[in-house]
Amino acid sequence: MRMDSAPPPGCTIAVVSEIAERRSRGRPRKERGAASTRSAIVRAAAEEFTERGYEAASLRAIARRAGVDSALVHHYFDDKAELFTATLEAPLRPDRVIDIVLSAPRAEIGETLVRYLLTQLEDERAAGRMVLILRTALGSGAGTRMLREFLTREVFTRLAALAHSDDADLRADLAASQIVGLMMTRYALKLKPVADAGPDELARRVGPVIQWHLFGDLDGRVGAGE
């Protein structure tokens, strides 16, 4: 899932050498290493998308913010969609979400998940990026797919599989819908009092709903598991 990781050892030197060889064909001159330049572009893109939204942000503006030539942005990313995809990893990493959640007792997975997500998004910058993802998901098929895959495939399907039930996919989708709805209400729409409630209170109220979707029996009992 991580799209912003540094290249493997030796890769940076190879990329810089390749760029140097292409200068005679019009490639822009790089003022810093390949890894740091790419990271600077991704950081600038995340800030630009957060402030202006996906549609209004331009690669030229991102290049100015990163302090690089716009042709260099095109060297690392084919288009704005690819660059936007690279920024989506910033707010939350699915592997970390799973590690944290699975370290909790089985009966507390729902509450732990909600508390962890909301606590991570208490950071203003992370919350801003999540709002960007939500807005894009509403207006873009690609954005919807990325958000759905992030929550459903990388988090909830793995959690629902713990129930060993035939309806794990449905459980995952329902749990994801609850989280998306909560994040939309809290961060994008900023509806009160949900927007003002603390992570602990929301975890206490919403967590059992997530728990039921993931592990509950159809007769209404919430499966705590062993």
Side-chain angles (χ1 to χ4, degrees):
M1 181 73 178
R2 187 172 180 86
M3 305 171 189
D4 181 11
S5 57
C11 182
T12 298
I13 296 175
V15 172
V16 173
S17 297
E18 179 182 359
I19 298 303
E21 292 174 359
R22 293 181 179 178
R23 283 174 185 162
S24 60
R25 300 200 297 270
R27 284 292 184 180
R29 183 180 182 84
K30 296 169 57 173
E31 300 297 330
R32 43 193 157 187
S36 63
T37 300
R38 186 183 187 281
S39 295
I41 293 171
V42 171
R43 287 195 301 270
E47 294 169 359
E48 188 74 11
F49 286 139
T50 298
E51 293 180 12
R52 299 180 57 80
Y54 180 76
E55 294 299 329
S58 69
L59 295 182
R60 188 177 299 276
I62 291 169
R64 285 198 302 267
R65 188 185 288 262
V68 301
D69 190 284
S70 59
L72 196 54
V73 177
H74 286 284
H75 170 69
Y76 287 106
F77 304 96
D78 290 337
D79 51 28
K80 185 167 70 171
E82 183 181 2
L83 179 53
F84 174 72
T85 301
T87 70
L88 290 182
E89 191 274 335
L92 296 166
R93 285 179 51 177
D95 56 336
R96 290 180 180 172
V97 173
I98 289 294
D99 289 344
I100 294 296
V101 171
L102 292 183
S103 68
R106 167 79 172 267
E108 300 174 10
I109 281 180
E111 186 171 337
T112 300
L113 174 61
V114 174
R115 181 181 293 107
Y116 177 75
L117 292 175
L118 296 185
T119 299
Q120 294 300 303
L121 294 174
E122 286 290 280
D123 177 79
E124 183 176 350
R125 189 173 184 179
R129 294 184 185 182
M130 182 55 67
V131 169
L132 163 68
I133 295 172
L134 293 173
R135 287 175 176 170
T136 303
L138 289 177
S140 164
T144 302
R145 183 177 62 255
M146 286 184 285
L147 180 61
R148 184 180 67 247
E149 289 180 354
F150 171 81
L151 289 172
T152 303
R153 181 188 303 173
E154 301 295 341
V155 178
F156 291 109
T157 295
R158 294 172 63 184
L159 293 177
L162 298 176
H164 303 294
S165 62
D166 294 334
D167 61 347
D169 289 342
L170 178 58
R171 290 174 179 270
D173 284 343
L174 290 171
S177 72
Q178 291 290 322
I179 289 294
V180 171
L182 176 59
M183 291 191 295
M184 180 65 70
T185 300
R186 182 173 175 84
Y187 300 110
L189 301 178
K190 297 185 178 180
L191 296 181
K192 297 182 178 182
V194 174
D196 294 334
D200 286 338
E201 179 169 359
L202 291 175
R204 181 172 61 84
R205 291 174 179 269
V206 181
V209 180
I210 303 298
Q211 187 79 16
W212 188 87
H213 282 312
L214 292 174
F215 308 117
D217 293 331
L218 293 181
D219 61 8
R221 291 178 296 143
V222 176
E226 297 294 337

